[in-house]
Amino acid sequence: MNSPDTTVICSAKGCRAAAVWVLAWNNPKIHTPDRRKTWLACEEHREHLSQFLSVRSFLKDVVKLEEWEARES
Ligand SMILES: [Zn+2]
């Protein structure tokens, strides 16, 4: 995760908006069950990105970025 003073950008292709959400996901074919990959999403792309992950059954959690950072520390 980036340091708190760096603006984190949405992971959606071509999007330069500041991320507000963290999507935690896991691909059971390549990751151990406790492993979490993260995508960042702005308000606009949260639905799109979480849909992409959930149809593949990869999506584990969607949390606000500030909440995620609080968990990590
Ligand atoms: Zn976006």
Side-chain angles (χ1 to χ4, degrees), residues 24-60:
W25 61 278
N26 172 284
N27 180 348
K29 291 199 178 104
I30 54 173
H31 302 127
T32 54
D34 59 335
R35 179 88 184 275
R36 288 292 178 273
K37 300 289 288 179
T38 56
W39 278 358
L40 297 157
C42 66
E43 209 61 73
E44 190 189 339
H45 288 113
R46 179 182 62 89
E47 187 63 37
H48 174 79
L49 293 173
S50 57
Q51 192 68 265
F52 181 93
L53 292 167
S54 65
V55 295
R56 289 161 181 79
S57 302
F58 291 175
L59 189 62
K60 296 297 179 189

